[in-house]
Amino acid sequence: MLVPVEWLNDYIDLSDVSTVDFCDRMIMSGSNLETCETFCEEMENVVVGRIEKIDRHPDADKLVVCMLNIGDKEANGKGEDGLLQIVTGAPNVFEGAIVPVALHKSRIPGPLHGQPKQEGGVKITKGKLRGVESYGMLCSASELGFDEKVVPVVHKDGIWILDPACYDGIEEKIGQDFAEALQLKQAVVDFEITPNRPDCLAMIGMAREASATFKKPFSYPDTEIKEANGEGNSSDYVSVEIKNTDACKRYVARIVTDVKVAQSPWWLQKRLMYAGMRPINNIVDITNFVMLEYGQPLHAFDINEVKGGKIIVDNAADGEKFTTLDENERTLTSDMLMIKDTERSIAVAGVMGGLNSEIEENTKTIIVESANFNGDSVRTTAKSLVLRTEASSRFEKGIDPNLTEAAADRVCRLIEMIGAGKVCEGSVDVYPNPETAKTIDVRVSRINHVLGIELPRETMVEMLNSLEIQVAGEGDIMTVTPPTIRQDLLEEEDYIEEVARLYGYDNLPVTLPKSNCEAGMSYERSIRDKAREALCSMGLNEIQTYSFVSPSGVDKVRIDEDSWERAFVKLINPLGEENSVMRTILTPNMMEVLARNYSRNLPEVRAFEIGNTFMDNPISRDKLPDEDYSLCIGMYGKGVDFYTLKGVVVELLTELGIKNISFEAESEYGVYHPGRCARVQVEASEAMKNAGIDTEELGIMGEVHPDVAENYGMDGVRIYCCELMFSAILSKADTSIVYTPLPKYPSTSRDIALLVDEEMEVGKIEEVIKANGKAILEKVKLFDVYRGKQVEEGKKSVAFNLTYRDKDKTLTDEDVAEVHNGVLAALKEKLDAVLREM
């Protein structure tokens, strides 16, 4: 909400308050500030001038030579006749025109036409245009710092022409400083208005806030019609029928006759321009002015275009065609509220008027519309038509229906004041269900308790009264009734906030909460953090990728068509195909990151991600999708192989207290090489063992299939990935620390080399060794796998180091031999593993 300080002073005297103090105090009372800009500060040596003579340029068809009267102002290049010569290409200049003149060595805010805006403004000096001296420049409104969108329609394409009929007394100000003559140097404050405070989308609303903040009185605009000299009563001209009372709460119509459409006076144009709106003509400008003043959108119809002299508020017909004021034909639907006459639609209610009833230069009698429309209805219509306007944005947030009559009266008063028409007596006011304010009880003690202050009731009453909130009752109970414009005041907490902001947020005591403030961390979060620390300590880098992915990602990693990894949660309104679903696994994201780094010539990458995965719930559409965490590890580069990745996985799971880890070969999963892939498993719980299940799966790992690597532009690169289900890790993790005393007795070890079939898994050999090593077997370590001339074809040699120790005594050779021989016998019996000579 742009608030010109000069306009604000029409309602509350802030002449003794600096702009800086005004902004600071308003922020502390709850009015959040976006920016504060002072206009025309960079304007120097620009004066009011009058064009006395215009001659054609001798060498340029599109240029003219103007001789300007700048009064008694001294200026370089001023001739003996007192006139100043300036060459211009502006198409709208004429003899007698009063214009802004930038003299030699002047400065204007800019920008110049077709150039970017320069910090500190633009310096203007004399020069020659096609051989003719020019001692300055005639300026447009945009060159003097006004945005193109607010430049008045009548001179938006040329020099700023000051019509004496609009700029009162301008002829007596020839030669004066232009900014002073038009009072251009003023501050404009841009407030950020929250959606719950539509009352502040109005100058009166901000004046009310300033009044409460600075404890100064403020006055409402003059709405009293001094002389209702129009012929007859408004009801003689028009009648109103509301057919959809849910979408239209109130409709007020007033009639103005003998309308004179012309430019608005400068004071009105200036307020609109500084508030961010373009002046068009006096009637349109007044309706816009009052909308900004009251926050109540208004519209004016040419009564000759309202057929049957009747306004009907009703919904459109499906497929109805309607042309709005912006000259675009739009197709309507039956849920859109329209303003109609007896034959056709003439406006989209709360959004924009129709081209078929707009005010034109020959319009003589108008209907002033001030109505209240349902915010949801307006929002839906504006969105469907892709047509958001100043009016619709206000209706969307909710407007007090009790404003409509005052706003209509204010329009008529301004029309009367500037002599733009004659106002008829009375109004046509249809208000089926008048709204009243909600009265509630507020406790003084509760306010003081929440804010941590000791404020007497009398002070609170004074604060609330300054916001036009009526207070009754006595003692601790205040029975409060807000003005109907304050639709946000519904609960006791709302009034506590009002007292707090008027007391001053900066004055409230700063205290810590008295409850237990000790921070905690969930077990799940602690395990995730521990996993991060473990992986980072092993030299991996953590990455983070988007949860919104392309469904083609699972195609690139060769996931089967009927796999659970394709149970996507689909977005209703995605930004694009590449972000249209939520990921079910992390591997495609990891592959994209590895490919991106490889394409940038990084020779080695080791990365991991712990992130959310999502899966649609096909059984019950009423339930939310399943959400879980997954852990993905990816790596490539020199020295990286399957066992590098396996070592990282084992070390990670060991760090998390997960024991009895095993790996089972997998050849059917499309992501990985069929001969270099394994499922990561752990010993099952007792409950699952009772059900006949010996292991639980944690995830899968392996070397990425060459076809997958090729899909990501990494042909010939050996990539290794692993994806683990974090929920499974969480159920098996045990980070409790149990003290184990250092061993008192020495250990002894035995090395064995076993001849086994080529297909024999090392994990199965380890299982048999551990199962038969009894209590004294402390550790089993694989240290060699050999295939060569000394080993027959179809066999391999697998060598282990077995460490034995007894916690209660020193082991003898006999003690070790008994257990060790039992291990060898079990290997022979169960796996046909034969001891090989070392």
Side-chain angles (χ1 to χ4, degrees), residues 135 161 168 210 240 372 377 457 499 517 536 584 607 612 689 705 738 826 835:
Y135 293 95
I161 306 293
D168 189 36
V240 175
N372 185 275
S377 172
R457 174 194 169 97
V499 172
C517 299
C536 289
T584 56
N612 297 82
K689 286 182 178 179
H705 197 286
V738 179
L835 189 64

Side-chain angles (χ1 to χ4, degrees), residues 256-446:
V256 179
T257 62
D258 294 335
V259 172
K260 303 178 183 65
V261 179
Q263 284 191 61
S264 300
W266 168 238
W267 67 264
L268 179 55
Q269 291 190 44
K270 180 170 65 172
R271 279 158 173 71
L272 290 177
M273 290 169 68
Y274 282 114
M277 298 197 77
R278 185 196 301 277
I280 297 174
N281 61 53
N282 51 6
I283 301 301
V284 175
D285 291 351
I286 286 174
T287 58
N288 287 335
F289 178 88
V290 176
M291 178 183 70
L292 295 173
E293 189 175 47
Y294 278 84
Q296 168 66 49
L298 300 109
H299 189 65
F301 298 103
D302 184 338
I303 198 169
N304 290 327
E305 301 299 333
V306 179
K307 308 301 181 183
K310 185 175 183 178
I311 296 290
I312 301 170
V313 185
D314 196 9
N315 287 47
D318 263 325
E320 179 181 346
K321 304 292 185 181
F322 182 72
T323 303
T324 46
L325 282 171
D326 57 2
E327 299 183 3
N328 287 321
E329 184 179 77
R330 305 177 188 277
T331 302
L332 310 177
T333 58
S334 59
D335 60 346
M336 297 178 181
L337 191 69
M338 303 295 291
I339 309 301
K340 304 180 178 183
D341 56 22
T342 56
E343 298 179 8
R344 58 187 179 160
S345 295
I346 56 175
V348 182
V351 181
M352 184 178 282
L355 193 65
N356 56 11
S357 60
E358 72 171 327
I359 304 297
E360 298 179 341
E361 289 186 2
N362 59 355
T363 298
K364 295 302 179 184
T365 302
I366 63 171
I367 302 172
V368 176
E369 172 199 88
S370 180
N372 185 275
F373 303 110
N374 179 273
D376 292 338
S377 172
V378 173
R379 183 186 302 108
T380 302
T381 299
K383 185 177 180 180
S384 299
L385 296 177
V386 194
L387 182 62
R388 200 160 188 269
T389 61
E390 281 284 345
S392 69
S393 66
R394 282 170 163 77
F395 279 123
E396 287 172 13
K397 295 175 178 65
I399 297 178
D400 177 19
N402 294 316
L403 283 176
T404 53
E405 185 176 25
D409 290 346
R410 175 63 171 164
V411 169
C412 293
R413 170 62 186 139
L414 290 173
I415 290 174
E416 178 189 61
M417 190 169 71
I418 67 173
K422 297 179 180 179
V423 181
C424 293
E425 290 185 354
S427 64
V428 179
D429 187 356
V430 180
Y431 194 5
N433 303 299
E435 286 199 8
T436 56
K438 178 184 178 182
T439 298
I440 68 168
D441 289 338
V442 177
R443 295 164 290 175
V444 174
S445 58
R446 175 64 178 168

Side-chain angles (χ1 to χ4, degrees), residues 50 197 228 303 316 392 427 430 448 473 482 602 671 709 716 808 812:
R50 180 171 56 230
R197 292 297 307 274
I303 198 169
S392 69
S427 64
V430 180
N448 283 325
L602 267 73
V671 179
D808 297 323
T812 64

Side-chain angles (χ1 to χ4, degrees), residues 523 527 530 654-659 733-739:
Y523 177 68
I527 295 297
K530 194 170 184 66
T654 303
E655 189 70 21
L656 297 179
I658 299 176
K659 302 175 183 178
D734 181 6
T735 57
S736 58
I737 300 174
V738 179
Y739 170 71

Side-chain angles (χ1 to χ4, degrees), residues 685-808:
S685 63
E686 290 299 323
M688 294 186 71
K689 286 182 178 179
N690 293 335
I693 302 173
D694 295 327
T695 59
E696 292 182 42
E697 186 173 322
L698 297 182
I700 192 166
M701 59 166 284
E703 181 181 326
V704 172
H705 197 286
D707 291 347
V708 175
E710 183 179 349
N711 290 339
Y712 286 92
M714 300 180 72
D715 311 41
V717 181
R718 289 198 166 186
I719 310 162
Y720 298 89
C721 282
C722 171
E723 182 149 355
L724 303 175
M725 297 176 289
F726 214 86
S727 57
I729 292 177
L730 196 65
S731 66
K732 296 295 181 182
D734 181 6
T735 57
S736 58
I737 300 174
V738 179
Y739 170 71
T740 303
L742 292 173
K744 295 180 181 180
Y745 303 100
S747 64
T748 183
S749 62
R750 300 285 189 273
D751 291 341
I752 59 173
L754 302 171
L755 278 175
V756 295
D757 292 337
E758 179 65 44
E759 294 78 16
M760 179 60 65
E761 296 176 3
V762 172
K764 290 184 178 180
I765 301 174
E766 288 186 355
E767 287 178 8
V768 173
I769 294 173
K770 290 177 181 178
N772 292 274
K774 299 186 179 179
I776 66 171
L777 181 63
E778 185 177 74
K779 185 168 63 174
V780 180
K781 182 180 180 182
L782 172 73
F783 67 86
D784 184 49
V785 177
Y786 175 73
R787 301 174 183 85
K789 295 180 180 179
Q790 292 82 5
V791 177
E792 63 182 280
E793 189 174 348
K795 298 284 187 178
K796 62 183 175 182
S797 173
V798 184
F800 293 91
N801 176 265
L802 281 60
T803 302
Y804 296 98
R805 189 199 306 268
D806 193 320
K807 65 179 181 179
D808 297 323

Side-chain angles (χ1 to χ4, degrees), residues 567 569 583 612-618 623-628:
V569 177
R583 63 189 179 189
N612 297 82
T613 56
F614 308 84
M615 194 177 305
D616 193 19
N617 193 327
K623 290 185 178 180
L624 292 173
D626 295 328
E627 180 178 354
D628 204 349

